[in-house]
Amino acid sequence: MKRRILGIDPGSRICGFGVIDIVGSQRHYVASGAIRTPQGASLAERVKVLVDGIHQVIDTYQPTEAALEQVFVNVNPAATLMLGQARGACMTALVLKGLPVAEYTALQVKQSVVGQGKAPKEQVQFMVVTMLNLSGTPQADAADALAVALAHANHSGGAIGQLARSGLRVKGGRLV
Amino acid sequence: MKRRILGIDPGSRICGFGVIDIVGSQRHYVASGAIRTPQGASLAERVKVLVDGIHQVIDTYQPTEAALEQVFVNVNPAATLMLGQARGACMTALVLKGLPVAEYTALQVKQSVVGQGKAPKEQVQFMVVTMLNLSGTPQADAADALAVALAHANHSGGAIGQLARSGLRVKGGRLV
C-alpha cells in the first residue's frame, strides 16, 4: 500500500502544507503550498479558513498519515497563545479526517533532513529541493511543511514506523 | 426566537461548558459540566476528546450562539502554548457547527457578572448561582463557563448584540 504523508507547518498567519509519497526507499513530491489567514480577522474566521484549507488539501490529495511540526516560540505570551490556537486548529482539522498524526520539533526535522539540528533555514530548503528532485525552491512555509513530511518518512520507515502505523503512538519519532 | 447560549471555559486539561436560555430579560439554566482530557495523552487524542465532547453538547442542547473565554496565562511558554492549542480546538469545534462565537476576557466576564473585574472566583460562582437560581454550586469549570454565557447574555442584549447577531463581529463586547 502506498504511503502518502501530509506535512503541516502551523503558523498564526500562514500554515504551510506539503504532500509526499513514499515508494520503497524513494520520496516523491505530490503538492505543497500555504494557507493564509486574513489579517485582522477574528479567531473564529481564521480558524475557519485554516480548517477549510486543510480539509480541501486532504480531500484533494488523500494522504494516509500526517506529521505536524511541534512549534515553540518564546517571544511573548500573546504570540505563543496565538500560535498555540492555530496549531490546535490544525490538529483538530487532521484528527477530524481520521488521519494518524505524528509530531516533530523543528530540531528533529532539521536533524532528520539536514543531519544536524542547528542547520539554517536555507540548508533545509536546499535539502528539500534535492531530496524531492524539485525544479525550483518552494515558498518558505511550503518547504518547511515538506521537510516535516520528509522527517516523518525517515523516522517512520523502520520498526518504530511500522508500530506507529499499527496504532501505537509516536511522538518526536519515539514511541510513547 | 429563543436564544440559547453555550459558554465555554477552555483549559488544557478540563474544558468547562454551560448552557443558558435567554427569555426576555430572564436567564434560565439549561445544562453545565466539564470535558476532561486524558492525562498523558497525545495532543491528537486530547483534541479528539475535546471536539467530540463539545459537539455532543451542541447536538444535545442545540445552542443558537456561543461565547468563548479569552484565556491568558503567563506562567511559562509551554503552558501558554498548550492552553492556546486547547482553545484553538474549542474554537474549531464551535465554528464547524456554524455557531457565531463571541469572545470575552476573564476581566470582562467578572465585570459583567459581579460588577468589578477583580472579583474572586468564589464571588463569580455565587453570582452564577444567584442569577440562574441554582439549588447548588456547579463545579468550578462549569461555573466559569456559565459566567461566560451570562456575560454574553448581558453584553448582547442591547444594540451591540442585535448587530452582532445580524452578522457583525463582536470581540469583548465591542463591535470590531
Side-chain angles (χ1 to χ4, degrees), chain B residues 161-176:
Chain B
Q162 305 297 336
L163 285 168
R165 285 196 303 287
S166 74
L168 284 170
R169 207 143 51 73
V170 172
K171 188 168 181 180
R174 297 189 309 278
L175 280 172
V176 287

Side-chain angles (χ1 to χ4, degrees), chain A residues 40-45 47-48 51-52 55 68 70-74 77-78 80-93 95-96 101 103 169 171, chain B residues 40-45 47-48 51-52 55 68 70-74 77-78 80-93 95-96 101 103 169 171:
Chain A
S42 71
L43 178 63
E45 288 166 318
V47 154
K48 182 148 177 45
V51 174
D52 285 351
H55 282 180
L68 185 63
Q70 174 70 268
V71 293
F72 198 74
V73 286
N74 210 343
T80 305
L81 188 73
M82 276 182 62
L83 188 54
Q85 289 176 164
R87 192 167 189 272
C90 289
M91 180 60 98
T92 307
V95 164
L96 285 174
V101 186
E103 300 181 64
R169 209 144 47 75
K171 187 169 181 180
Chain B
S42 71
L43 178 62
E45 289 167 316
V47 154
K48 184 149 176 44
V51 174
D52 285 351
H55 282 181
L68 185 63
Q70 175 68 271
V71 293
F72 197 76
V73 285
N74 209 344
T80 305
L81 188 73
M82 275 182 63
L83 188 53
Q85 290 175 163
R87 191 168 190 271
C90 289
M91 180 59 98
T92 307
V95 165
L96 285 174
V101 186
E103 300 181 63
R169 207 143 51 73
K171 188 168 181 180

Side-chain angles (χ1 to χ4, degrees), chain A residues 7-152:
Chain A
I8 296 275
D9 176 37
S12 312
R13 288 214 185 141
I14 301 176
C15 168
F17 68 88
V19 185
I20 64 170
D21 277 345
I22 305 184
V23 185
S25 63
Q26 292 196 308
R27 286 89 173 89
H28 297 297
Y29 174 89
V30 177
S32 67
I35 301 159
R36 277 157 224 277
T37 56
Q39 265 191 291
S42 71
L43 178 63
E45 288 166 318
R46 287 187 291 119
V47 154
K48 182 148 177 45
V49 170
L50 261 184
V51 174
D52 285 351
I54 291 175
H55 282 180
Q56 207 177 318
V57 169
I58 295 174
D59 292 344
T60 306
Y61 300 107
Q62 304 279 328
T64 56
E65 54 205 284
L68 185 63
E69 186 155 333
Q70 174 70 268
V71 293
F72 198 74
V73 286
N74 210 343
V75 191
N76 66 62
T80 305
L81 188 73
M82 276 182 62
L83 188 54
Q85 289 176 164
R87 192 167 189 272
C90 289
M91 180 60 98
T92 307
L94 297 171
V95 164
L96 285 174
K97 287 285 184 179
L99 289 177
V101 186
E103 300 181 64
Y104 299 93
T105 64
L107 188 87
Q108 289 169 321
V109 171
K110 286 178 177 182
Q111 269 169 342
S112 177
V113 174
V114 180
Q116 61 126 322
K118 288 187 175 171
K121 237 177 165 47
E122 294 71 29
Q123 209 173 340
V124 177
Q125 288 177 11
F126 174 80
M127 285 306 293
V128 166
V129 170
T130 306
M131 288 166 87
L132 293 173
N133 201 21
L134 303 178
S135 56
T137 306
Q139 181 262 358
D141 301 281
D144 283 348
L146 287 167
V148 179
L150 283 167
H152 181 56

Side-chain angles (χ1 to χ4, degrees), chain B residues 2-137:
Chain B
K2 192 177 68 179
R3 290 176 61 201
R4 178 166 282 188
I5 300 173
L6 167 60
I8 297 275
D9 176 37
S12 312
R13 287 216 185 137
I14 301 175
C15 168
F17 68 89
V19 185
I20 63 170
D21 277 345
I22 305 184
V23 185
S25 63
Q26 293 197 307
R27 287 88 175 88
H28 297 297
Y29 174 89
V30 177
S32 67
I35 301 160
R36 278 158 225 276
T37 57
Q39 264 190 294
S42 71
L43 178 62
E45 289 167 316
R46 286 186 291 120
V47 154
K48 184 149 176 44
V49 170
L50 261 184
V51 174
D52 285 351
I54 291 175
H55 282 181
Q56 208 178 317
V57 169
I58 294 174
D59 292 344
T60 306
Y61 300 106
Q62 304 278 329
T64 56
E65 53 205 284
L68 185 63
E69 184 154 335
Q70 175 68 271
V71 293
F72 197 76
V73 285
N74 209 344
V75 191
N76 67 61
T80 305
L81 188 73
M82 275 182 63
L83 188 53
Q85 290 175 163
R87 191 168 190 271
C90 289
M91 180 59 98
T92 307
L94 297 170
V95 165
L96 285 174
K97 287 286 185 181
L99 289 176
V101 186
E103 300 181 63
Y104 299 92
T105 64
L107 188 87
Q108 289 168 323
V109 170
K110 286 178 177 182
Q111 268 168 344
S112 177
V113 174
V114 180
Q116 61 125 323
K118 289 186 175 173
K121 237 178 164 48
E122 294 71 30
Q123 209 172 340
V124 176
Q125 288 176 9
F126 174 80
M127 285 307 293
V128 166
V129 170
T130 306
M131 288 167 87
L132 293 173
N133 200 21
L134 303 178
S135 55
T137 305

